[in-house]
Amino acid sequence: MAGAADVYKLYGMDHSYYTGKVRPYLRFKGIPHREVLSTLLVYQRFIQPRTGVRFIPVLQTPEDEVVQDTTEIIEFLEARFTDRPVIPQTPRQKLVTLLLELYADEWFLLPAMHFRWNYLDRHEAWLMEEFGRVGGDFLPAFVRRQIGRRVSGYFRGSIPNLGVTPRTAPAIEAWFRQFLSALDTHLGEHPFLLGTRPSLADFAMAGPLYAHVWRDPGSRPVIEAQGPRTVEWLHRMNESGQDAGTFLPGDAVPETLFPILAHLFAEQWPLLQDTSTRLAAWRGEHPEKTRISRVIGEHTFRIGDVEERRLVFPYAQWMMQRPLDHYASLDVDEKASVDALLKKVGGLEAMQWQVPARVRREKNRLVFAS
């Protein structure tokens, strides 16, 4: 049993999208850890001074190293805890894992924020208490609700920035129900996305599906009705002491994932390409900038048959670079195998994209790569 000095600390919240990605990962890997509630005092005294930003989750190691951003947290820990790797190293499975992490981390913000804030009439009191926990769990429920209304205003007001509007809401719901149906079909054949072992993509999807849609009482019936196997999968994802399992042999990618991958390339990828193009233009317009702004304007995106405006978030390009870099690293034979898969899901042309202005993360901020 690990002593107190060997325990990692995860600073997060139960209702946090991205905390819901790292928590099941720590449990699956058997990494000794404890969660620290991210109260306003914790933000003021620890999170912001140590990371320079106000985002959770944050990981603190027993050696007092601090890592922010879920992708970097998991890759940091994968290098330390090499048993039970969650990122396949075969060409097709690794690409699919990185693509689905990108899909879950960025595109799933649409249904996660829609169901949380547009279903507010179904769970407002409960949700305000959840947000009010930043004042401390010791506070009575009515005080937490008051605090919750104040601190949640930013999140509630930000959903149009993501393109979640009255115009897009029906399309978001229609797509999400189709996604749940496809995922449920897949989970009828495989316990996880790529076999009997959860991958990075499983943990990424568990974040929004568990922390938002499943935990929020108003939207829980959506998953219960459309995805009973998804509910079972969410329970598996949050268990401790799971068997290690394995990824599918032969670098296989189940055909049951093809509809999900096809949607990624049809609707998310054009938005990512436009983000990349606009970021390159922004660089030319702001040669004096040493850091990249979190938002760099607006652009149009499409979901279903609906077009809407949303803000341009450069961080999405950093996530996009990961599958692109993996694809570019493949040798001729590996690329031929991957290309055969990409043709089936409409992604071959997409993966030829050349990022015009590459970015990297430095001290938890985006900067242009030299």
Side-chain angles (χ1 to χ4, degrees):
M1 182 178 295
D6 302 319
V7 171
Y8 289 73
K9 295 178 183 177
L10 178 66
Y11 294 81
M13 297 287 281
D14 287 342
H15 62 272
S16 158
Y17 188 119
Y18 295 106
T19 305
K21 175 183 175 183
V22 177
R23 181 189 300 109
Y25 167 80
L26 293 169
R27 291 174 176 171
F28 172 73
K29 296 285 283 192
I31 297 172
H33 68 281
R34 70 179 180 90
E35 287 197 42
V36 179
L37 183 66
S38 296
T39 64
L40 295 172
L41 196 60
V42 169
Y43 270 99
Q44 180 183 356
R45 293 184 177 178
F46 178 79
I47 293 174
Q48 193 163 9
R50 295 298 301 274
T51 68
V53 295
R54 293 181 59 83
F55 304 134
I56 55 172
V58 172
L59 183 81
Q60 184 181 19
T61 73
E63 300 81 20
D64 197 33
E65 298 169 276
V66 174
V67 189
Q68 187 274 322
D69 184 88
T70 58
T71 295
E72 293 198 347
I73 288 171
I74 291 175
E75 291 204 338
F76 173 86
L77 291 172
E78 282 290 280
R80 285 194 166 195
F81 297 87
T82 55
D83 290 344
R84 300 179 164 208
V86 302
I87 304 174
Q89 293 306 304
T90 51
R92 287 185 293 177
Q93 288 183 353
K94 183 171 182 179
L95 179 63
V96 167
T97 296
L98 296 175
L99 285 168
L100 292 180
E101 182 197 25
L102 165 65
Y103 192 49
D105 274 12
E106 298 299 309
W107 190 255
F108 277 51
L109 285 164
L110 297 174
M113 298 300 274
H114 162 66
F115 284 112
R116 172 159 288 177
W117 299 111
N118 289 335
Y119 278 43
L120 202 57
D121 60 327
R122 309 182 190 191
H123 53 219
E124 182 173 14
W126 177 88
L127 188 59
M128 293 307 100
E129 286 185 37
E130 285 286 291
F131 272 86
R133 293 178 66 208
V134 297
D137 273 339
F138 61 90
L139 295 172
F142 79 93
V143 176
R144 292 204 305 273
R145 285 196 292 271
Q146 292 174 350
I147 295 172
R149 289 188 183 93
R150 291 201 298 270
V151 301
S152 68
Y154 166 78
F155 298 96
R156 191 184 324 188
S158 70
I159 62 172
N161 298 340
L162 298 168
V164 180
T165 68
R167 294 184 66 245
T168 58
I172 291 169
E173 287 211 18
W175 157 68
F176 187 68
R177 292 176 192 276
Q178 291 170 359
F179 161 77
L180 285 177
S181 178
L183 180 61
D184 226 55
T185 297
H186 171 82
L187 293 171
E189 299 184 16
H190 305 277
F192 299 104
L193 293 176
L194 290 171
T196 58
R197 171 181 296 184
S199 68
L200 173 62
D202 288 89
F203 298 114
M205 281 194 182
L209 295 185
Y210 173 77
H212 276 238
V213 187
W214 168 248
R215 281 193 80 249
D216 291 5
S219 52
R220 180 178 297 180
V222 175
I223 289 187
E224 290 177 327
Q226 202 76 37
R229 296 188 187 99
T230 301
V231 173
E232 296 171 1
W233 169 79
L234 287 173
H235 288 311
R236 286 196 297 276
M237 289 300 297
N238 282 281
E239 290 174 357
S240 298
Q242 297 179 40
D243 292 337
T246 59
F247 297 125
L248 291 168
D251 199 19
V253 175
E255 291 188 10
T256 44
L257 291 180
F258 288 6
I260 296 172
L261 292 165
H263 183 269
L264 182 160
F265 285 117
E267 297 205 342
Q268 186 189 21
W269 201 263
L271 179 68
L272 294 167
Q273 288 182 320
D274 194 60
T275 298
S276 184
T277 299
R278 289 173 182 271
L279 181 56
W282 186 88
R283 184 183 194 182
E285 295 163 1
H286 301 86
E288 77 288 355
K289 296 281 189 180
T290 57
R291 286 180 174 175
I292 301 170
S293 299
R294 190 160 178 262
V295 174
I296 57 167
E298 290 187 358
H299 56 172
T300 299
F301 79 107
R302 174 178 288 276
I303 181 165
D305 295 328
V306 180
E307 281 194 351
E308 185 57 279
R309 301 285 291 174
R310 61 172 275 162
L311 299 183
V312 181
F313 297 98
Y315 175 86
Q317 182 188 290
W318 182 74
M319 292 293 295
M320 178 196 200
Q321 288 174 189
R322 290 163 50 76
L324 286 173
D325 289 350
H326 169 64
Y327 181 78
S329 74
L330 300 176
D331 64 30
V332 173
D333 291 338
E334 292 170 334
K335 194 164 285 188
S337 173
V338 169
D339 285 352
L341 168 66
L342 289 171
K343 288 176 183 177
K344 294 177 181 178
V345 296
L348 182 58
E349 182 180 353
M351 292 307 297
Q352 314 310 311
W353 179 256
Q354 298 294 314
V355 173
R358 288 182 60 86
V359 300
R360 59 186 175 86
R361 278 174 50 84
E362 180 180 280
K363 297 180 179 178
N364 302 319
R365 303 279 188 166
L366 277 188
V367 299
F368 288 108
S370 57

